[in-house]
Amino acid sequence: SQQGEEDPQALSIQEGENATMNCSYKTSINNLQWYRQNSGRGLVHLILIRSNEREKHSGRLRVTLDTSKKSSSLLITASRAADTASYFCATASPYNFNKFYFGSGTKLNVKP
Amino acid sequence: SAVISQKPSRDICQRGTSLTIQCQVDSQVTMMFWYRQQPGQSLTLIATANQGSEATYESGFVIDKFPISRPNLTFSTLTVSNMSPEDSSIYLCSVEDRQVLFFGSGTQLSVL
C-alpha cells in the first residue's frame, strides 16, 4: 500500500505557537499534498509540492519534502484557533496521476 | 477549482436498507471519485466513476454493495446497499483538477 503514516496523531498547542506535522509514505510519488478537514466534513486543499521540489511556502504554511527519506512535514506558523482541524497528507502515484492515497491524519487543536 | 454539491449531508438509516448519495459538480469532469472515511480514520478510495462506463472499484469494495451511476459529466450517485452498522462512515465525492482534489461536503451516515 502506498498509504502513509502521519505523526503525531494528535497535537494540542496554544494560539500563536507553531505546529509541525509529519508524513511518511512508501513508494515513488509524483507529488505530495496537504489537506485540511474541519469537523469531519469535506477536505480542503492547502498546498502541493512536486517530487522535484524540497520546500514550498504559502502564507503561514511551509511544506518540506525529502524524497530520499520518503517524508514530508507541514509547518503552520503563528497558529490560530481557526486552524483547529485534522490535517492529511496525500500522495499521487507517478503511474496514475488520478489515484491519491491519504495518510492517517493529524488532529490539531489550537487553544485560544 | 470545482464546486461540488453533495447530499444528503447526513442520514440515520436502519440496517438492511439502502441510501443513495448524490454529487453534483459545477463543471464537466471526466472522473469522479468516491471515498469512505470511517470514524476517526483516514480516507479510503471506494471507486472511480467515469461517464459512459462502469465504475472501477478498489480492492475490498464491490459493485453489489456500492453501485455507482455516472449518467453525465457533472453528476454521480453512490448507493450504499443493504446497510449494516459497519457502514457508518462519512462518504465523500471528489473530482480532480490539475492534480488537486476538490471535495463535496460529505455525507455522514449512521446505521442503526
Side-chain angles (χ1 to χ4, degrees):
Chain A
S1 166
Q2 194 169 351
Q3 288 182 331
E5 296 298 319
E6 290 181 58
D7 77 271
Q9 287 188 332
L11 180 60
S12 185
I13 58 174
Q14 292 292 140
E15 211 166 23
E17 295 180 338
N18 296 342
T20 300
M21 290 158 261
N22 303 295
C23 167
S24 62
Y25 56 93
K26 297 180 181 177
T27 61
S28 299
I29 61 171
N30 179 55
N31 63 63
L32 185 143
Q33 304 177 36
W34 287 88
Y35 289 81
R36 184 183 72 202
Q37 184 180 39
N38 288 87
S39 304
R41 309 311 287 178
L43 280 73
V44 174
H45 179 257
L46 294 176
I47 194 167
L48 178 153
I49 186 166
R50 302 193 186 283
S51 58
N52 62 352
E53 297 176 311
R54 292 297 167 256
E55 187 170 315
K56 202 160 183 180
H57 297 253
S58 176
R60 293 184 296 113
L61 305 180
R62 173 180 166 247
V63 170
T64 62
L65 178 65
D66 187 335
T67 53
S68 66
K69 295 180 180 177
K70 292 186 168 58
S71 67
S72 173
S73 67
L74 171 68
L75 169 67
I76 303 174
T77 60
S79 63
R80 305 166 183 168
D83 295 327
T84 294
S86 292
Y87 292 81
F88 294 89
C89 64
T91 54
S93 167
Y95 312 111
N96 184 346
F97 291 174
N98 293 305
K99 203 151 190 175
F100 292 78
Y101 299 92
F102 284 82
S104 50
T106 294
K107 199 165 187 176
L108 174 65
N109 179 35
V110 182
K111 294 177 281 189
Chain B
S1 65
V3 176
I4 303 172
S5 301
Q6 183 176 342
K7 59 181 182 182
S9 59
R10 62 176 64 235
D11 208 340
I12 300 173
C13 301
Q14 297 296 319
R15 69 171 69 208
T17 63
S18 298
L19 176 72
T20 295
I21 302 167
Q22 298 180 7
C23 192
Q24 178 79 49
V25 189
D26 68 342
S27 57
Q28 294 185 337
V29 293
T30 305
M31 286 189 248
M32 294 178 74
F33 306 95
W34 287 98
Y35 285 87
R36 181 177 74 181
Q37 187 179 25
Q38 293 177 302
Q41 303 296 313
S42 185
L43 280 73
T44 301
L45 181 63
I46 298 171
T48 302
N50 297 307
Q51 194 268 336
S53 64
E54 282 206 0
T56 303
Y57 288 84
E58 295 298 305
S59 175
F61 297 96
V62 294
I63 188 170
D64 290 346
K65 177 67 176 177
F66 297 102
I68 288 172
S69 78
R70 184 80 203 275
N72 56 53
L73 291 173
T74 63
F75 187 79
S76 179
T77 68
L78 169 76
T79 298
V80 186
S81 303
N82 188 25
M83 289 184 284
S84 67
E86 291 72 36
D87 294 319
S88 297
S89 295
I90 297 171
Y91 293 85
L92 297 142
C93 66
S94 75
V95 302
E96 178 265 343
D97 182 13
R98 284 168 286 184
Q99 297 187 44
V100 171
L101 286 178
F102 295 90
F103 286 86
S105 55
T107 296
Q108 187 148 11
L109 171 62
S110 297
V111 184
L112 304 178

